[in-house]
Amino acid sequence: MLETCLVYFSKNRLDPLDGPILRQLSKILNTSNKNNRPAGLTGALVFDDEWFLQSLEGERNEVWKAFKRIEADERHADVVVVEVKAIQKRVFGNWWMGLARRGDATEQAFRPHLRDGKLKPDAMTGDEILALMTGLAQTGMSRKLAPSLVEG
């Protein structure tokens, strides 16, 4: 069955007054997993304090519905679609949503994709973003943040 993959990035607008960032990311991940499973969506979300990068995979209408919700979410600004393409096979087919955050444990996966030490998604292709996500899936992406990481 032919499906769709949508890759986008946006500026992070998480509000520090809403609590610790890891707690907010955990909430996003839990909500994504809850919403994506019944919609048949899979994907990956990358966070590096300044940016969100995300891949959504699934039936075209469901992908666009999810994207429209994200685009309207006040935690995202300047949302840019990098690529939308038909796919034969999902890259993240076993992930309702996986999350990786830039940090010591994931820096090696990030390093080949940095420019001047920073993640600059506006200079990346969809394939480059997916390559980053694939590398992170192998080293530092999780389906659920550990409770110890979100306490505080």
Side-chain angles (χ1 to χ4, degrees):
M1 176 167 131
L2 198 61
E3 295 187 310
T4 297
C5 174
L6 183 147
V7 177
Y8 79 89
F9 66 87
S10 65
K11 287 189 178 177
N12 162 32
R13 291 292 184 247
L14 293 176
D15 187 344
L17 297 177
D18 289 339
I21 296 296
L22 285 174
R23 182 175 293 147
Q24 292 181 62
L25 290 173
S26 182
K27 184 177 178 182
I28 290 169
L29 184 59
N30 290 338
T31 300
S32 295
N33 281 313
K34 183 180 81 171
N35 292 337
N36 291 355
R37 187 174 187 164
L41 297 175
T42 56
L45 177 64
V46 175
F47 176 78
D48 90 327
D49 292 332
E50 185 176 353
W51 301 102
F52 285 107
L53 292 80
Q54 188 167 16
S55 162
L56 293 168
E57 305 167 324
E59 191 274 322
R60 182 187 342 208
N61 290 334
E62 293 296 334
V63 166
W64 281 108
K65 277 194 239 177
F67 176 73
K68 289 297 181 187
R69 279 192 310 270
I70 292 163
E71 192 176 37
D73 189 321
E74 64 188 26
R75 297 172 293 190
H76 298 270
D78 303 327
V79 180
V80 175
V81 174
V82 177
E83 182 174 42
V84 180
K85 63 182 177 181
I87 55 173
Q88 295 290 331
K89 183 178 179 187
R90 297 181 187 207
V91 175
F92 303 101
N94 61 338
W95 298 77
W96 303 120
M97 186 54 58
L99 171 71
R101 181 176 187 210
R102 187 170 176 196
D104 293 342
T106 58
E107 190 62 25
Q108 186 173 344
F110 272 93
R111 193 169 295 124
H113 305 282
L114 302 177
R115 287 160 177 81
D116 300 323
K118 292 187 175 187
L119 187 62
K120 297 184 179 179
D122 53 339
M124 297 172 77
T125 67
D127 286 341
E128 289 172 324
I129 291 172
L130 287 171
L132 168 61
M133 291 175 174
T134 302
L136 288 165
Q138 295 170 355
T139 60
M141 194 166 281
S142 59
R143 289 180 174 99
K144 184 175 181 183
L145 294 176
S148 62
L149 293 177
V150 296
E151 293 172 0

